[in-house]
Amino acid sequence: MSEISHGGARPVLAIVDPIHPEGVAILRAAGEVVELFAPGADAERGWAMADGLVIRTSPLPAARIAACPRLKVIGKHGVGVDNIDIAAATRHGIAVFNTPGANALAVAECAVALMLAVVKRLRACHDLVAGGRFAERGPLRVGDLSGKTLGLVGGGRIAGEVARICRHGFGMTVLVYDPYSGEARAAAMGAEKVHGLDALLARADIVSIHTPLTAETRGLIGRGRLAHMKPGAVLVNTARGGIVDEAALADALAAGKLGGAGLDVFEDEPPARGNPLLALPSVVLSPHMAGITEDSARRMAVGAAQGVVDALAGRKPEAILNPEAWDGRRR
């Protein structure tokens, strides 16, 4: 770790969570880098002296932001910003931006992988072979994606990639529900825009969630919405855990009302050992890694690091999330 100092003209650039080395190299070329997560790091002094910040999933609440008197820009490694108090950053004149699109394909591929793992019952198949029960495969029945109907909750970049893969790869009919995008966006995705979430849930064989976690979407897929899903349908969530009511989902799966679920995200991460979803055989789980491939990690790190460097040089980030803070930003 470089010595934390403002004796020279170089800014102090803090990294909250580990990022790809190419992102670190960009920051080192522009300033004094402080890896706040590193053993032995003087993290409190690093926070206090930081001019710019790169963050992944660690929480950044209002109290922490208020304790960073020199901070001018926060670069989010990824898209979801529910871990950052953007309103607090705005009050302090701190620009916040993210890196949209950098991991879209990675997340989309994981969503499709989870669909396949659930409908092909790969977990059960693996257990048969690994457990020496190969001959017991006879009663096992698996499903197909081909020809089925996919319902996308959210119509952004990731949803667009999922639609492309499923439409061209499996010949699926694609529906999309997104109250903030229009018919033209749905048409560009090769999807039918559905006006109403319940209507989409009633038609889809596979429901895949691709919406940010906000006050509006928290608990969006609850007990009532799950009841609207087709019997035997599969739910996939690679967005944020708080969008789905996990207790209600576990009940629906245990009762056999749904065919299965593929989950990369959870209400609490890591999920508690007693979480009933962990014990259900129709569920395939992943540890919030959908967007972290080698390629996407590099793109996100480079995008976040370069954006921080650019912002400190007076260049407004393209994906700024609080543009109202830019003109009155800290100098």
Side-chain angles (χ1 to χ4, degrees):
M1 181 184 75
S2 299
E3 176 128 3
I4 305 172
S5 172
H6 272 288
R10 288 162 65 81
V12 173
L13 307 173
I15 306 173
V16 182
D17 311 287
I19 65 172
H20 194 278
E22 287 191 19
V24 178
I26 290 171
L27 295 174
R28 289 198 189 284
E32 302 300 323
V33 171
V34 185
E35 295 180 321
L36 299 176
F37 58 88
D42 188 351
E44 287 306 314
R45 183 161 171 75
W47 284 105
M49 300 298 287
D51 295 290
L53 197 70
V54 173
I55 188 167
R56 285 175 55 193
T57 58
S58 291
L60 192 56
R64 171 57 75 187
I65 290 171
C68 300
R70 300 186 60 92
L71 190 59
K72 303 167 185 68
V73 59
I74 298 167
K76 173 59 195 279
H77 179 289
V79 180
V81 290
D82 47 287
N83 60 316
I84 302 171
D85 192 327
I86 296 177
T90 302
R91 289 195 300 272
H92 290 282
I94 303 167
V96 183
F97 70 92
N98 62 359
T99 53
N103 67 347
L105 185 56
V107 177
E109 288 184 0
C110 183
V112 177
L114 287 171
M115 294 176 201
L116 285 166
V118 174
V119 301
K120 299 299 182 185
R121 300 188 65 185
L122 294 185
R123 179 176 169 184
C125 291
H126 172 91
D127 290 345
L128 281 180
V129 178
R133 296 179 290 119
F134 193 98
E136 297 177 25
R137 71 188 188 278
L140 193 65
R141 291 292 179 267
V142 302
D144 298 309
L145 290 184
S146 296
K148 298 299 192 295
T149 297
L150 169 67
L152 298 169
V153 182
R157 289 180 177 86
I158 297 170
E161 292 289 355
V162 174
R164 179 184 60 80
I165 295 169
C166 290
R167 191 163 53 86
H168 293 296
F170 302 103
M172 299 181 76
T173 297
V174 181
L175 313 175
V176 61
Y177 167 75
D178 188 334
Y180 298 104
S181 67
E183 302 286 350
R185 172 59 184 163
M189 294 169 59
E192 174 191 339
K193 182 174 175 61
V194 178
H195 299 278
L197 179 54
D198 290 344
L200 178 141
L201 297 176
R203 294 174 58 188
D205 299 296
I206 312 286
V207 174
S208 192
I209 299 172
H210 303 286
T211 184
L213 178 62
T214 66
E216 183 180 7
T217 63
R218 185 175 294 278
L220 181 68
I221 308 296
R223 202 168 297 274
R225 289 269 162 68
L226 290 167
H228 275 90
M229 292 179 65
K230 290 176 67 172
V234 170
L235 179 70
V236 171
N237 188 9
T238 54
R240 286 292 186 269
I243 298 167
V244 176
D245 181 334
E246 289 183 358
L249 175 61
D251 288 345
L253 291 164
K257 295 178 180 178
L258 298 180
L263 306 173
D264 181 59
V265 290
F266 307 89
E267 290 184 65
D268 296 312
E269 295 185 352
R273 289 190 176 184
N275 188 321
L277 291 170
L278 276 59
L280 290 170
S282 59
V283 178
V284 176
L285 306 174
S286 173
H288 200 157
M289 287 194 61
I292 307 299
T293 64
E294 179 67 16
D295 290 339
S296 69
R298 181 186 299 107
R299 288 192 296 267
M300 288 186 288
V302 167
Q306 191 61 57
V308 165
V309 171
D310 288 347
L312 291 176
R315 295 183 288 273
K316 186 177 180 180
E318 287 187 16
I320 189 168
L321 300 168
N322 56 346
E324 64 274 25
W326 183 255
D327 290 338
R329 67 190 183 280
R330 286 174 174 166
R331 304 289 179 176

